[in-house]
Amino acid sequence: MKRMNLFVVMFSAVALINSCKDDEPIQPHIATIQLTVEDASCTEAWLKASLTDANEPRTIAILQDGQRVTVSRLPSPDSVFVVEGLLPRHTYSFVAQRLRDSMAIDASSSVQATTMDTTSHNITWEVDTLGDASSMLSDIAIVNDTLAYAVGEMYLRDSTGLIDPQAYNVARWNGASWTIMRIQFYTICGGSGTTPYPTSSVLAFSATDVWIAMDGDQIARWNGTLQTTTMCLPVSFSIRKLWGGSPSSIYAVGDGGNIMHYNGMSWQRVETGTTLDVRDIWGANDRNGQLQILALASTYTAKTQESRILKIEGNSAAPVSTAGLATDMASIWFVPGMKYYAVGAGIHRKRMLSDSAWIVYPHGVVTSFGSWGVRGTGVNNVFVAGSFGEIVHFNGVNWHRYFGGVSLPGGALGPMAVTDRLVMVVGHIGASRGIVFIGRR
C-alpha cells in the first residue's frame, strides 16, 4: 500500500513538470545570417549577405534553387557578391548557409531574384551626312524621339560652289531632317565681338534648356529658339565633354587635366592631380540613390602614353585603379555597382569598381578596331562605336555587330546618345563630311 502511494506521488510530480514545460512559449529561431537581393542583370544576380554578429564562422554557401552553387568567406559582416550563369527572364530562389567545417549551422530565409530580359538587336539604321570639306561632328544629345542636337563644325558651299570659310556649329534634328545653325561665342572673352567657333559637346536637359560647349573655354545656353547666355570659364582650356545631373550641377572636362564644376551660380575648379587630357565623363545614381561620377583621362603621344580614371565627389577627384586598362582610351560609361565600360584601344569592362583589374575583350571577339564611344540605357542595352563606322550592341547576353567596320572608309564614329527607342552616333568621313548614324527600334 505504501509503495503504491509513493508511485502516485512520483507520477503526479512528473505530470506537473511536463505541464509546466508545455505552457512555456517556444522561442522562434533568429537566423544569424540574412540574404537580400541587390540587383540582377540578364545572367547575374547581386546578393548581399549580412551577419548579425561578426564572430566566426564567416564562411557561407549560397543555394540556388536548393543546389549549392558557391562557397566563400565574407570579407566583412555585410558583403555583396555575384552569382553568374543565370538565364534571362527567370526567377531564382536563393538561401545563404553559414558553415562550420563544411557543415551548415544556420541559414537565411529564402529570397527570390528575377533576371532581366534581353533587348532586341533588331534596329533599323539610316545615315545622314552634314557639311562638306573638313566637316566633322563631335557630339550629340537626344531630347526626345523627334528632337536632337549635333555639334561640331560643318562647312557648306555657297551659290558659286565655293566653301564658306565660316563654319556652322550646331545641327537640329526634328525626327526627319536637319537644320544647320550658328551659335555665337565671344571672339575673345571680355570683348564684344562674336564668332561661330567649332563646338565640341552638347548637353540637353529639355527642349528649352540645351548647353553647348565651344572647342575652347566657352559654353552657350540655348532655349530651343534663342541663345540666352554665353559663359567664359575662369580657367582656359579646350572642353572635350559636358555632363550634368541638373542645370545646377554641370561638369566641363577637357585638356590638361582640367575639370570645372558649375553649381548653378559659378564655375569652380576640380583638382584632378593630373595633366592628362580628360576625354569623357559620366555619372549615375547607384542602387542606394548615391550619385557616382567618373571621368576618363588619357593622353597618347610619343612622349606620354597613360590613362587614368577619376572618381569625382563635389570639387575633388581621386584616381581609381586602372590595372589592365590600355593607355589609349576615349570614353567611359557605367551602371554603378553592376557594370563599367571603358573603350579606346579595346573594350574594357568591370563588374564592380572595386574589382582588381579591368578585363579587355580579346582582339576580334567583339571588334577588331579602336572604339571611341560607349553609352547605354542599362546593362542589357549598351552600344560601342569606333573606327571605320563600326557599331556594336550588347543586349545583356551577347554582342551584335552592325556594320563590320567597312561602312566608313577613312572615318570614325564615337560620340553617341542612346534611349530605349533611339541611338544616334556621330563622327566624320575622312576629312570631308560629318556623319550621323540613326538607329530606331
Side-chain angles (χ1 to χ4, degrees):
M1 192 68 181
K2 291 182 178 180
R3 290 181 179 177
M4 183 173 289
N5 289 339
L6 180 61
F7 173 77
V8 171
V9 172
M10 292 179 63
F11 178 82
S12 299
V14 172
L16 181 61
I17 293 171
N18 288 336
S19 176
C20 291
K21 287 184 176 179
D22 290 342
D23 291 339
E24 292 178 359
I26 299 174
Q27 297 297 324
H29 172 69
I30 300 176
T32 61
I33 182 169
Q34 297 175 351
L35 191 67
T36 55
V37 178
E38 295 286 288
D39 235 321
S41 67
C42 295
T43 59
E44 303 154 314
W46 279 256
L47 305 176
K48 182 179 180 181
S50 302
L51 301 181
T52 58
D53 62 74
N55 300 326
E56 295 293 341
R58 286 191 180 184
T59 300
I60 68 165
I62 296 298
L63 276 62
Q64 174 186 314
D65 294 336
Q67 300 295 316
R68 185 177 290 185
V69 293
T70 183
V71 175
S72 61
R73 177 176 168 80
L74 298 185
S76 67
D78 291 296
S79 299
V80 176
F81 54 95
V82 182
V83 176
E84 301 176 302
L86 307 180
L87 297 174
R89 205 172 60 180
H90 274 61
T91 298
Y92 296 89
S93 294
F94 296 98
V95 172
Q97 293 179 333
R98 201 166 184 177
L99 305 182
R100 177 177 284 122
D101 298 329
S102 300
M103 300 296 293
I105 61 171
D106 204 356
S108 70
S109 299
S110 176
V111 296
Q112 290 189 326
T114 300
T115 54
M116 301 171 68
D117 196 2
T118 57
T119 55
S120 174
H121 288 312
N122 187 17
I123 295 176
T124 301
W125 292 93
E126 61 185 79
V127 181
D128 292 335
T129 57
L130 300 175
D132 212 318
S134 300
S135 298
M136 65 177 299
L137 297 176
S138 303
D139 200 11
I140 191 162
I142 297 173
V143 180
N144 54 50
D145 288 350
T146 58
L147 180 61
Y149 286 91
V151 299
E153 52 183 318
M154 293 155 279
Y155 296 92
L156 302 181
R157 296 185 183 275
D158 60 22
S159 58
T160 66
L162 298 177
I163 294 293
D164 185 342
Q166 194 171 57
Y168 293 82
N169 53 15
V170 177
R172 180 171 56 194
W173 180 72
N174 64 6
S177 61
W178 295 88
T179 300
I180 299 178
M181 308 178 296
R182 289 188 176 110
I183 291 287
Q184 299 292 327
F185 298 93
Y186 297 116
T187 303
I188 299 175
C189 283
S192 58
T194 60
T195 302
Y197 287 122
T199 48
S200 60
S201 186
V202 56
L203 176 63
F205 293 106
S206 69
T208 58
D209 194 7
V210 182
W211 298 62
I212 300 167
M214 162 192 152
D215 187 11
D217 57 4
Q218 299 180 49
I219 298 172
R221 200 168 182 179
W222 174 262
N223 69 4
T225 304
L226 300 171
Q227 181 176 344
T228 59
T229 306
T230 304
M231 307 177 188
C232 289
L233 297 183
V235 176
S236 182
F237 64 93
S238 293
I239 298 171
R240 295 285 191 109
K241 191 71 176 178
L242 296 175
W243 181 87
S246 72
S248 60
S249 183
I250 296 174
Y251 291 87
V253 306
D255 290 356
N258 281 291
I259 299 178
M260 300 294 294
H261 179 227
Y262 181 70
N263 62 11
M265 299 181 63
S266 63
W267 290 90
Q268 298 175 334
R269 187 170 189 170
V270 176
E271 294 299 330
T272 64
T274 183
T275 58
L276 300 176
D277 297 336
V278 187
R279 303 177 69 176
D280 199 12
I281 182 172
W282 179 258
N285 289 323
D286 65 17
R287 58 178 65 94
N288 297 316
Q290 298 297 310
L291 179 61
Q292 186 175 107
I293 305 171
L294 298 179
L296 184 147
S298 180
T299 302
Y300 192 83
T301 66
K303 293 183 178 180
T304 303
Q305 298 180 10
E306 184 181 353
S307 290
R308 187 172 294 190
I309 293 176
L310 303 168
K311 185 177 182 180
I312 301 172
E313 295 181 352
N315 290 331
S316 63
V320 298
S321 174
T322 54
L325 198 66
T327 55
D328 188 10
M329 302 300 294
S331 185
I332 190 167
W333 178 87
F334 58 91
V335 176
M338 291 186 71
K339 194 74 71 173
Y340 296 79
Y341 289 97
V343 305
I347 300 174
H348 301 68
R349 68 196 189 278
K350 270 188 175 186
R351 183 184 289 115
M352 291 184 283
L353 196 59
S354 59
D355 288 352
S356 59
W358 291 85
I359 300 171
V360 62
Y361 286 100
H363 180 78
V365 171
V366 178
T367 177
S368 300
F369 307 102
S371 300
W372 312 120
V374 56
R375 287 294 185 267
T377 62
V379 294
N380 62 342
N381 190 38
V382 184
F383 290 86
V384 176
S387 298
F388 307 110
E390 183 172 67
I391 300 173
V392 295
H393 174 239
F394 184 68
N395 71 351
V397 173
N398 54 54
W399 290 89
H400 178 78
R401 182 181 298 178
Y402 290 102
F403 298 103
V406 296
S407 60
L408 207 62
L413 300 174
M416 70 177 75
V418 181
T419 69
D420 289 336
R421 295 163 53 91
L422 193 65
V423 54
M424 304 182 78
V425 191
V426 299
H428 61 93
I429 304 174
S432 59
R433 289 176 292 170
I435 193 166
V436 186
F437 282 65
I438 304 170
R440 291 185 174 93
R441 280 197 174 96

